[in-house]
Amino acid sequence: MAKVNTHHIGEYCKHGTVRTETDDDARIVVRFYDFKTKSPIRESAIFDFVDKHKIQWYLEDNMSAYYADKVMDKIYA
């Protein structure tokens, strides 16, 4: 069973909305969606559970560090 979290961040995020999915194989999929148009995926990346720093850097490249920390807290909760 996958663990899914959606965050509607808005202007502090590159596309506005980020969705994370953690599957049973400990893979984490990060997807960015356009907040206003709700269009399909704008950008996505796949990481292994142990790549915590890579995920943090990827998120900070696409949003503020404050919200990147909030998303990371949900992933690793």
Side-chain angles (χ1 to χ4, degrees), residues 11-24:
E11 63 188 29
Y12 292 102
C13 181
K14 186 175 182 182
H15 298 291
T17 300
V18 62
R19 181 177 179 169
T20 61
E21 296 178 22
T22 306
D23 64 11
D24 293 334

Side-chain angles (χ1 to χ4, degrees), residues 4-5 8-9 11 13 19 23 29-30 39-40 42 47 49-50 53 61 63 71 74:
V4 179
N5 292 310
H8 301 289
I9 297 171
E11 63 188 29
C13 181
R19 181 177 179 169
D23 64 11
V29 179
V30 180
S39 66
R42 302 290 240 162
F47 301 94
F49 193 77
V50 296
H53 292 291
D61 284 344
M63 65 180 68
V71 172
K74 288 288 187 174

Side-chain angles (χ1 to χ4, degrees), residues 53-65:
H53 292 291
K54 289 181 185 178
I55 299 169
Q56 181 77 29
W57 293 331
Y58 178 72
L59 291 173
E60 287 180 5
D61 284 344
N62 290 295
M63 65 180 68
S64 69

Side-chain angles (χ1 to χ4, degrees), residues 24-43:
D24 293 334
D25 294 330
R27 292 219 174 145
I28 299 168
V29 179
V30 180
R31 293 185 176 115
F32 288 92
Y33 295 88
D34 193 351
F35 182 71
K36 292 183 180 179
T37 62
K38 296 182 179 151
S39 66
I41 300 168
R42 302 290 240 162
E43 186 176 336

